[in-house]
């Protein structure tokens, strides 16, 4: 049976001297993963804005004036065209996000077609659609959905300061339904909401102590969007962010820990330290939902500088097309760098 973590144990990890924590995280990481492999996902917003929820960090909430233009659910063909581009760019997982409290049953046939279509391209599929009913989770599972993303965001104690329209328990219930439907779980949180270190520890305890830890754990740095209530929050010290990644790696040794939103604001050195701390998944592409993601070339260059490779998934085993596409781009990006630097 998986180890159950206590809050005191998690806090003790956060309290470790930084370099000791990094060393431990890297050791745990190497026991379970090839440290040069990073899983690469692309995220597409299939329905943007006008969300009835009040998540205080989110520009997609209808309650905040952020200038974001709301869009209806995309057509299936448009989604598949984006997935083809993501695959050609070397992405192995395609994540589709909709700003909803929950999907309506009317939308389910379209969502099922999206899952089936993206899978037929040989990519892993992930969706994030809000709260699910048992029947909806089952339908997505039967359509072949590989992952469902639903973040816990923060500790149960701090949660009420950030969201009031959906309870923590509702989130846990959705995660349970997803599991029961045979879909893998992607769930993590955000650093920089105004929470204490204790809350970060408590969030990781919640995730690590689920009956099965999430296969994918996104750790986001708050992207402060003008017009949202958290726009003026204090910056998070990058070391505190890296610490959170390291503790997540130690507490969930076999999960993919994803360096997610907020990467745009991070230096290459901070990102490198995140990989050192055990992050082994990123979003790659021009859009991370509606917040900007580093341009693709910057990612490719960083991979090259650090000697990292995109990870294969079961869906592309025996077919090196994706790896070759990304490797080709890495080589091209690298020659461009030297070309530009030439006297
Ligand atoms: S985080 Fe999701 S649920 Fe919350 S307001 Fe944004 S889109 Fe809606």
């Amino acid at each position: 049976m998986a180890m159950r973590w206590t809050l005191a144990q998690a806090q003790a990890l956060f309290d470790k001297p930084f370099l000791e924590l990094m060393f431990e995280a890297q050791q745990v990481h190497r026991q379970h993963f090839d440290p040069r492999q990073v899983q690469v996902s692309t995220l597409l917003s299939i329905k943007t804005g006008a969300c009835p929820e009040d998540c205080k960090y989110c520009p997609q909430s209808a309650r905040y004036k952020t200038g974001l233009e709301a869009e209806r659910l995309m057509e299936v063909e448009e989604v598949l065209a984006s997935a083809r581009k993501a695959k050609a760019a070397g992405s192995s997982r395609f994540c589709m996000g909709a700003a909803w409290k929950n999907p309506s049953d009317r939308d389910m046939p379209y969502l099922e077609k999206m899952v089936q279509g993206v899978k037929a391209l040989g990519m892993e599929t992930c969706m994030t659609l809000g709260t699910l009913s048992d029947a909806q989770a089952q339908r997505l599972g039967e359509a072949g959905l590989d992952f469902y993303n639903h973040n816990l965001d923060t500790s149960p104690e701090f949660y009420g300061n950030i969201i009031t329209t959906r309870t923590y328990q509702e989130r846990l219930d959705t995660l349970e339904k997803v599991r029961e439907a045979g879909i893998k779980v992607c769930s993590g949180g955000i650093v920089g909401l105004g929470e204490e270190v204790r809350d970060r520890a408590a969030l990781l305890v919640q995730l690590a102590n689920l009956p099965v830890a999430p296969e994918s754990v996104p750790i986001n740095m708050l992207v402060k969007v003008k017009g949202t209530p958290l726009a003026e929050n204090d910056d998070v010290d990058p070391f505190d962010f890296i610490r959170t990644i390291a503790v997540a790696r130690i507490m969930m040794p076999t999960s993919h820990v994803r360096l997610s939103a907020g990467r745009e604001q991070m230096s290459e050195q901070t990102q490198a330290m995140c990989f050192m701390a055990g992050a082994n998944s990123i979003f790659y592409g021009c859009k991370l939902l509606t917040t900007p993601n580093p341009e693709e070339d910057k990612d490719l260059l960083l991979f090259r500088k650090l000697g990292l490779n995109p990870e294969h998934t079961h869906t592309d085993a025996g077919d090196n097309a994706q790896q070759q596409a990304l490797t080709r781009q890495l080589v091209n990006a690298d020659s461009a760098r030297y070309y530009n630097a030439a006297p």
Side-chain angles (χ1 to χ4, degrees):
M1 198 179 133
M3 165 171 181
R4 283 192 66 79
W5 288 87
T6 64
L7 184 59
Q9 286 170 324
Q11 282 185 297
L13 287 173
F14 274 97
D15 287 343
K16 280 197 167 204
F18 182 76
L19 293 178
E20 278 179 42
L21 176 66
M22 290 294 282
F23 182 61
E24 186 176 334
Q26 180 63 205
Q27 279 180 314
V28 171
H29 188 51
R30 282 166 187 260
Q31 281 165 23
H32 300 279
F33 292 100
D34 176 343
R36 293 189 59 188
Q37 302 284 311
V38 174
Q39 191 273 324
V40 179
S41 298
T42 297
L43 177 55
L44 176 73
S45 177
I46 59 171
K47 187 264 162 190
T48 305
C51 183
E53 302 293 281
D54 70 348
C55 312
K56 287 199 172 61
Y57 50 82
C58 183
Q60 304 215 57
S61 169
R63 299 171 191 235
Y64 315 129
K65 289 199 173 44
T66 59
L68 182 80
E69 232 173 90
E71 290 167 17
R72 295 166 53 157
L73 181 64
M74 284 171 75
E75 299 289 336
V76 175
E77 253 322 304
E78 268 182 282
V79 173
L80 297 185
S82 295
R84 273 184 221 107
K85 278 192 207 156
K87 177 171 172 154
S91 198
S92 62
R93 189 180 306 165
F94 195 66
C95 308
M96 294 160 269
W100 279 324
K101 183 175 186 65
N102 50 264
S104 74
D105 286 341
R106 199 186 52 225
D107 292 318
M108 289 305 293
Y110 301 102
L111 299 169
E112 287 164 326
K113 283 199 186 99
M114 288 174 196
V115 172
Q116 288 155 351
V118 174
K119 269 190 95 76
L121 297 175
M123 300 181 85
E124 286 185 321
T125 51
C126 176
M127 281 187 157
T128 178
L129 313 168
T131 304
L132 292 183
S133 68
D134 282 314
Q136 289 172 333
Q138 289 297 332
R139 283 181 68 167
L140 291 171
E142 280 158 21
L145 185 66
D146 297 295
F147 287 83
Y148 193 78
N149 164 265
H150 200 54
N151 291 332
L152 292 180
D153 284 352
T154 188
S155 68
E157 297 75 20
F158 191 69
Y159 181 86
N161 297 306
I162 304 298
I163 300 124
T164 65
T165 49
R166 165 152 60 204
T167 67
Y168 210 82
Q169 189 56 49
E170 281 176 271
R171 292 196 184 233
L172 292 168
D173 292 345
T174 293
L175 294 183
E176 198 180 317
K177 287 171 193 164
V178 166
R179 267 281 171 235
E180 278 168 10
I183 303 167
K184 288 183 229 129
V185 169
C186 171
S187 187
I190 308 175
V191 178
L193 299 172
E195 77 285 351
E196 305 284 336
V197 172
R198 184 204 167 279
D199 297 302
R200 294 174 197 157
L203 164 70
L204 296 178
V205 167
Q206 287 287 328
L207 293 167
N209 286 353
L210 286 171
V212 178
E215 282 80 2
S216 208
V217 180
I219 304 290
N220 299 282
M221 172 85 99
L222 175 71
V223 177
K224 293 186 255 182
V225 181
K226 207 161 165 246
T228 61
L230 303 187
E232 303 301 327
N233 269 23
D234 289 339
D235 284 340
V236 174
D237 183 327
F239 287 114
D240 291 338
F241 183 79
I242 298 163
R243 256 180 213 285
T244 311
I245 298 255
V247 177
R249 163 52 63 228
I250 293 166
M251 290 174 65
M252 291 169 275
T254 59
S255 304
H256 275 82
V257 176
R258 178 172 309 130
L259 183 51
S260 295
R263 207 157 59 82
E264 164 104 332
Q265 284 81 6
M266 287 174 206
S267 68
E268 288 192 330
Q269 291 79 2
T270 297
Q271 293 186 54
M273 290 293 270
C274 289
F275 291 127
M276 190 75 194
N280 60 347
S281 174
I282 60 160
F283 279 118
Y284 168 79
C286 52
K287 268 193 173 180
L288 178 56
L289 282 179
T290 58
T291 55
N293 206 27
E295 287 158 30
E296 295 173 359
D297 277 353
K298 281 197 219 158
D299 292 339
L300 297 171
L301 280 173
L302 185 59
F303 266 46
R304 181 74 178 166
K305 283 185 195 174
L306 302 179
L308 296 174
N309 298 312
E311 183 184 282
H312 273 286
T313 62
H314 65 277
T315 51
D316 59 356
D319 157 12
N320 272 338
Q322 285 179 310
Q323 177 101 29
Q324 282 168 1
L326 194 45
T327 306
R328 243 192 333 270
Q329 291 187 55
L330 285 166
V331 170
N332 290 341
D334 205 43
S335 12
R337 180 161 62 112
Y338 287 115
Y339 179 77
N340 290 334

